[in-house]
Every structure is written in structure tokens, then in C-alpha cells.
Tab-separated table of all heavy atoms in Angstrom:
chain	number	residue	atom	x	y	z
N	1	SER	N	0.827	-1.209	0.001
N	1	SER	CA	0.001	0.000	0.000
N	1	SER	C	0.856	1.253	-0.001
N	1	SER	O	0.646	2.185	0.784
N	1	SER	CB	-0.943	-0.017	1.203
N	1	SER	OG	-1.783	-1.145	1.185
N	2	LEU	N	1.807	1.290	-0.889
N	2	LEU	CA	2.746	2.402	-0.926
N	2	LEU	C	2.069	3.697	-1.319
N	2	LEU	O	1.139	3.719	-2.138
N	2	LEU	CB	3.889	2.084	-1.889
N	2	LEU	CG	4.908	1.079	-1.348
N	2	LEU	CD1	5.773	0.539	-2.472
N	2	LEU	CD2	5.778	1.734	-0.281
N	3	LYS	N	2.554	4.771	-0.725
N	3	LYS	CA	2.036	6.105	-0.951
N	3	LYS	C	3.150	6.985	-1.509
N	3	LYS	O	4.325	6.701	-1.307
N	3	LYS	CB	1.524	6.709	0.363
N	3	LYS	CG	0.532	5.836	1.109
N	3	LYS	CD	0.233	6.420	2.480
N	3	LYS	CE	-0.697	5.532	3.267
N	3	LYS	NZ	-0.960	6.075	4.623
N	4	PRO	N	2.793	8.068	-2.198
N	4	PRO	CA	3.833	8.981	-2.665
N	4	PRO	C	4.726	9.479	-1.537
N	4	PRO	O	5.917	9.724	-1.766
N	4	PRO	CB	3.030	10.129	-3.294
N	4	PRO	CG	1.772	9.470	-3.765
N	4	PRO	CD	1.461	8.434	-2.711
N	5	GLY	N	4.189	9.617	-0.332
N	5	GLY	CA	4.981	10.036	0.806
N	5	GLY	C	6.037	9.046	1.231
N	5	GLY	O	6.916	9.388	2.034
N	6	ASP	N	5.978	7.818	0.721
N	6	ASP	CA	6.999	6.825	1.016
N	6	ASP	C	8.238	6.982	0.137
N	6	ASP	O	9.216	6.265	0.333
N	6	ASP	CB	6.432	5.418	0.837
N	6	ASP	CG	5.325	5.110	1.824
N	6	ASP	OD1	5.445	5.495	3.003
N	6	ASP	OD2	4.325	4.471	1.413
N	7	THR	N	8.189	7.871	-0.824
N	7	THR	CA	9.322	8.091	-1.711
N	7	THR	C	10.532	8.563	-0.919
N	7	THR	O	10.468	9.559	-0.195
N	7	THR	CB	8.972	9.114	-2.793
N	7	THR	OG1	7.928	8.592	-3.627
N	7	THR	CG2	10.182	9.430	-3.659
N	8	ALA	N	11.626	7.835	-1.032
N	8	ALA	CA	12.836	8.140	-0.279
N	8	ALA	C	13.921	7.163	-0.683
N	8	ALA	O	13.667	6.174	-1.380
N	8	ALA	CB	12.583	8.049	1.231
N	9	VAL	N	15.131	7.446	-0.225
N	9	VAL	CA	16.195	6.459	-0.279
N	9	VAL	C	16.091	5.620	0.985
N	9	VAL	O	16.074	6.158	2.093
N	9	VAL	CB	17.574	7.113	-0.388
N	9	VAL	CG1	18.674	6.055	-0.358
N	9	VAL	CG2	17.676	7.933	-1.664
N	10	TYR	N	16.046	4.324	0.825
N	10	TYR	CA	15.917	3.414	1.948
N	10	TYR	C	17.270	2.787	2.251
N	10	TYR	O	17.936	2.257	1.366
N	10	TYR	CB	14.876	2.334	1.649
N	10	TYR	CG	13.466	2.835	1.776
N	10	TYR	CD1	12.939	3.716	0.838
N	10	TYR	CD2	12.662	2.453	2.848
N	10	TYR	CE1	11.657	4.208	0.958
N	10	TYR	CE2	11.366	2.934	2.972
N	10	TYR	CZ	10.870	3.815	2.021
N	10	TYR	OH	9.589	4.292	2.148
N	11	TYR	N	17.654	2.868	3.519
N	11	TYR	CA	18.953	2.390	3.965
N	11	TYR	C	18.797	1.220	4.924
N	11	TYR	O	17.916	1.215	5.777
N	11	TYR	CB	19.725	3.494	4.697
N	11	TYR	CG	20.084	4.675	3.839
N	11	TYR	CD1	19.247	5.780	3.757
N	11	TYR	CD2	21.280	4.693	3.125
N	11	TYR	CE1	19.581	6.872	2.979
N	11	TYR	CE2	21.626	5.778	2.352
N	11	TYR	CZ	20.767	6.875	2.286
N	11	TYR	OH	21.107	7.954	1.519
N	12	CYS	N	19.687	0.279	4.806
N	12	CYS	CA	19.817	-0.814	5.743
N	12	CYS	C	20.944	-0.505	6.718
N	12	CYS	O	21.971	0.063	6.326
N	12	CYS	CB	20.107	-2.117	4.981
N	12	CYS	SG	20.352	-3.565	6.012
N	13	ALA	N	20.765	-0.857	7.981
N	13	ALA	CA	21.758	-0.591	9.007
N	13	ALA	C	21.887	-1.778	9.946
N	13	ALA	O	20.943	-2.553	10.114
N	13	ALA	CB	21.376	0.665	9.802
N	14	ALA	N	23.059	-1.913	10.558
N	14	ALA	CA	23.342	-3.018	11.465
N	14	ALA	C	23.963	-2.512	12.761
N	14	ALA	O	24.836	-1.645	12.737
N	14	ALA	CB	24.271	-4.038	10.812
N	15	ARG	N	23.495	-3.061	13.859
N	15	ARG	CA	24.090	-2.858	15.174
N	15	ARG	C	24.756	-4.160	15.572
N	15	ARG	O	24.116	-5.213	15.555
N	15	ARG	CB	23.029	-2.466	16.203
N	15	ARG	CG	23.509	-2.463	17.637
N	15	ARG	CD	24.333	-1.234	17.948
N	15	ARG	NE	24.867	-1.284	19.291
N	15	ARG	CZ	25.514	-0.285	19.878
N	15	ARG	NH1	25.675	0.867	19.226
N	15	ARG	NH2	25.987	-0.426	21.102
N	16	LEU	N	26.014	-4.112	15.973
N	16	LEU	CA	26.748	-5.333	16.245
N	16	LEU	C	26.479	-5.915	17.624
N	16	LEU	O	26.382	-7.129	17.765
N	16	LEU	CB	28.249	-5.103	16.083
N	16	LEU	CG	28.741	-4.839	14.665
N	16	LEU	CD1	30.257	-4.841	14.643
N	16	LEU	CD2	28.189	-5.861	13.691
N	17	TYR	N	26.337	-5.095	18.636
N	17	TYR	CA	26.182	-5.585	19.995
N	17	TYR	C	24.986	-4.946	20.658
N	17	TYR	O	24.441	-3.963	20.186
N	17	TYR	CB	27.456	-5.339	20.801
N	17	TYR	CG	28.632	-6.122	20.276
N	17	TYR	CD1	29.608	-5.506	19.511
N	17	TYR	CD2	28.748	-7.488	20.528
N	17	TYR	CE1	30.677	-6.221	19.013
N	17	TYR	CE2	29.817	-8.213	20.026
N	17	TYR	CZ	30.770	-7.566	19.270
N	17	TYR	OH	31.829	-8.292	18.770
N	18	SER	N	24.608	-5.541	21.807
N	18	SER	CA	23.378	-5.185	22.493
N	18	SER	C	23.265	-3.682	22.742
N	18	SER	O	24.202	-3.042	23.206
N	18	SER	CB	23.280	-5.944	23.814
N	18	SER	OG	22.117	-5.599	24.529
N	19	GLU	N	22.093	-3.137	22.434
N	19	GLU	CA	21.774	-1.740	22.633
N	19	GLU	C	20.263	-1.625	22.689
N	19	GLU	O	19.561	-2.213	21.862
N	19	GLU	CB	22.361	-0.892	21.507
N	19	GLU	CG	21.848	0.535	21.455
N	19	GLU	CD	22.147	1.296	22.727
N	19	GLU	OE1	23.327	1.330	23.134
N	19	GLU	OE2	21.206	1.847	23.325
N	20	SER	N	19.767	-0.851	23.636
N	20	SER	CA	18.328	-0.747	23.817
N	20	SER	C	17.663	0.162	22.798
N	20	SER	O	16.485	-0.009	22.489
N	20	SER	CB	18.012	-0.255	25.224
N	20	SER	OG	18.588	1.010	25.468
N	21	ASP	N	18.392	1.115	22.270
N	21	ASP	CA	17.834	2.066	21.330
N	21	ASP	C	17.870	1.500	19.915
N	21	ASP	O	18.885	0.940	19.487
N	21	ASP	CB	18.596	3.383	21.385
N	21	ASP	CG	18.002	4.442	20.478
N	21	ASP	OD1	16.787	4.387	20.196
N	21	ASP	OD2	18.751	5.343	20.051
N	22	TYR	N	16.774	1.659	19.187
N	22	TYR	CA	16.715	1.186	17.810
N	22	TYR	C	16.183	2.235	16.853
N	22	TYR	O	16.091	1.981	15.653
N	22	TYR	CB	15.843	-0.074	17.712
N	22	TYR	CG	14.452	0.089	18.270
N	22	TYR	CD1	13.437	0.627	17.514
N	22	TYR	CD2	14.170	-0.314	19.574
N	22	TYR	CE1	12.160	0.775	18.034
N	22	TYR	CE2	12.900	-0.171	20.101
N	22	TYR	CZ	11.890	0.377	19.328
N	22	TYR	OH	10.627	0.524	19.842
N	23	VAL	N	15.832	3.409	17.366
N	23	VAL	CA	15.202	4.442	16.552
N	23	VAL	C	16.214	5.425	15.980
N	23	VAL	O	16.097	5.846	14.823
N	23	VAL	CB	14.137	5.190	17.376
N	23	VAL	CG1	13.566	6.371	16.592
N	23	VAL	CG2	13.019	4.240	17.783
N	24	ARG	N	17.187	5.798	16.762
N	24	ARG	CA	18.154	6.787	16.320
N	24	ARG	C	19.186	6.165	15.383
N	24	ARG	O	19.684	5.077	15.640
N	24	ARG	CB	18.867	7.414	17.514
N	24	ARG	CG	17.970	8.245	18.410
N	24	ARG	CD	18.774	8.878	19.527
N	24	ARG	NE	19.367	7.878	20.388
N	24	ARG	CZ	20.244	8.146	21.349
N	24	ARG	NH1	20.635	9.404	21.562
N	24	ARG	NH2	20.725	7.167	22.098
N	25	PRO	N	19.526	6.851	14.304
N	25	PRO	CA	20.584	6.335	13.422
N	25	PRO	C	21.905	6.093	14.128
N	25	PRO	O	22.655	5.191	13.742
N	25	PRO	CB	20.708	7.441	12.358
N	25	PRO	CG	19.364	8.090	12.336
N	25	PRO	CD	18.890	8.060	13.768
N	26	SER	N	22.194	6.885	15.172
N	26	SER	CA	23.449	6.727	15.890
N	26	SER	C	23.544	5.405	16.636
N	26	SER	O	24.632	5.041	17.090
N	26	SER	CB	23.648	7.884	16.875
N	26	SER	OG	22.593	7.926	17.832
N	27	ALA	N	22.445	4.683	16.779
N	27	ALA	CA	22.451	3.392	17.454
N	27	ALA	C	22.983	2.275	16.567
N	27	ALA	O	23.117	1.147	17.047
N	27	ALA	CB	21.045	3.043	17.936
N	28	TYR	N	23.278	2.561	15.331
N	28	TYR	CA	23.731	1.548	14.384
N	28	TYR	C	25.173	1.796	13.963
N	28	TYR	O	25.625	2.942	13.898
N	28	TYR	CB	22.811	1.511	13.161
N	28	TYR	CG	21.411	1.100	13.526
N	28	TYR	CD1	20.508	2.015	14.039
N	28	TYR	CD2	21.009	-0.228	13.393
N	28	TYR	CE1	19.228	1.622	14.410
N	28	TYR	CE2	19.736	-0.623	13.756
N	28	TYR	CZ	18.849	0.304	14.264
N	28	TYR	OH	17.583	-0.092	14.635
N	29	ASP	N	25.868	0.708	13.691
N	29	ASP	CA	27.296	0.767	13.431
N	29	ASP	C	27.666	0.779	11.953
N	29	ASP	O	28.687	1.355	11.580
N	29	ASP	CB	27.988	-0.423	14.105
N	29	ASP	CG	27.769	-0.447	15.607
N	29	ASP	OD1	28.216	0.506	16.275
N	29	ASP	OD2	27.160	-1.421	16.104
């Protein structure tokens, strides 16, 4: 159900070790 507002560059990210935060980009390595 994609919308025009979904238009963007989509990035994949990985966190290597335990961390409670998952929303901020800085939480990923």
C-alpha cells in the first residue's frame, strides 16, 4: 500500500552488539 509520501532512499543498518535504542541512526554501526 505504498504512498507517494513513502518516496525516499531506503537504507539498511546493522548494530553489532546489544543496545536498547533502535530508533536513532546513531544506534547503528
Side-chain angles (χ1 to χ4, degrees):
S1 301
L2 285 165
K3 307 172 183 178
D6 296 319
T7 296
V9 177
Y10 283 71
Y11 296 92
C12 178
R15 170 77 184 187
L16 292 188
Y17 295 102
S18 178
E19 168 60 54
S20 59
D21 183 27
Y22 55 84
V23 174
R24 294 183 297 172
S26 60
Y28 296 82
D29 301 297

